[in-house]
Amino acid sequence: MNADEMVAKAFLAAFRHHPAGVAILTGDPGDGPVALTISSLISVGVEPPTVAFSLSDSSSSAKALARCETLVVHFVRRTNMQLARLCATSGSVRFGPGVEWDRLATGEPYYPQVETWFRAAIRGKLASPGACLATAELVESSPGWRDAPQSETLVYADRAWHGLRPLADPIRAPLLLWPDDSATF
């Protein structure tokens, strides 16, 4: 195995065990609604509220979202796991019968069952081999974000979905990555 292959294998192994929050992006580049589950969402800044995410060149949904000027960023919880799974499955029907969705007044498709979402305007793109890193300014928030129940956060690690919830007593409890899995340190 050469050095490049070794680094690639180490990269995959490291990120397989690096939990990431789960989000769903939805948009319409002009030829119909598209959705994609991502675990690459990061916050960039607060003034203005800006996020960044990666869009793979190998995904038709990511390519379509890269053509959008605006989109919706959904912060999914464990209660939304089936929707996240649907939007992560290649070839699945993400806006068909039996899927609850609507359009914002500005036209972007979104999933109203996800309590916290933001309409976002793409502000920049940086091409990278095999992907595009996009930045987006959050320009509108879901009306009920303050009233959203504090259900478990959905995270993705080691090719599996996990629920993440706060510890009952963080001072006395051991530090856990996610409660039902393994202790750390």
Side-chain angles (χ1 to χ4, degrees), residues 15-164:
F15 273 90
R16 219 173 255 131
H17 298 284
H18 182 74
V22 178
I24 297 173
L25 302 178
T26 57
D28 189 338
D31 49 2
V34 64
L36 178 67
T37 298
I38 63 168
S39 60
S40 62
L41 184 70
I42 61 169
S43 72
V44 173
V46 171
E47 293 182 20
T50 305
V51 297
F53 47 87
S54 175
L55 297 171
S56 170
D57 289 345
S58 64
S59 164
S60 59
S61 295
K63 287 179 185 176
L65 286 167
R67 297 189 341 254
C68 293
E69 293 181 19
T70 60
L71 45 79
V72 179
V73 179
H74 302 76
F75 284 72
V76 298
R77 299 292 197 178
R78 188 171 180 156
T79 56
N80 308 118
M81 188 174 70
Q82 293 307 318
L83 181 62
R85 188 173 281 156
L86 174 74
C87 294
T89 303
S90 181
S92 66
V93 179
R94 299 164 187 170
F95 295 96
V99 179
E100 182 185 353
W101 71 281
D102 204 349
R103 288 191 182 268
L104 298 177
T106 49
E108 297 85 358
Y110 80 108
Y111 296 113
Q113 66 270 37
V114 177
E115 291 103 0
T116 303
W117 54 262
F118 294 89
R119 188 169 72 84
I122 301 298
R123 296 296 186 225
K125 295 178 192 166
L126 174 64
S128 180
C132 167
L133 180 65
T135 59
E137 180 181 345
L138 306 180
V139 295
E140 179 185 347
S141 62
S142 55
W145 66 268
R146 285 190 182 135
D147 303 324
Q150 296 303 310
S151 58
E152 288 181 58
T153 298
L154 184 62
V155 296
Y156 191 77
D158 196 18
R159 298 181 180 180
W161 309 92
H162 303 273
L164 182 65

Side-chain angles (χ1 to χ4, degrees), residues 162-185:
H162 303 273
L164 182 65
R165 62 182 177 265
L167 298 171
D169 184 355
I171 303 293
R172 294 188 187 146
L175 179 62
L176 303 177
L177 280 177
W178 37 86
D180 300 329
D181 293 339
S182 62
T184 61
F185 311 117

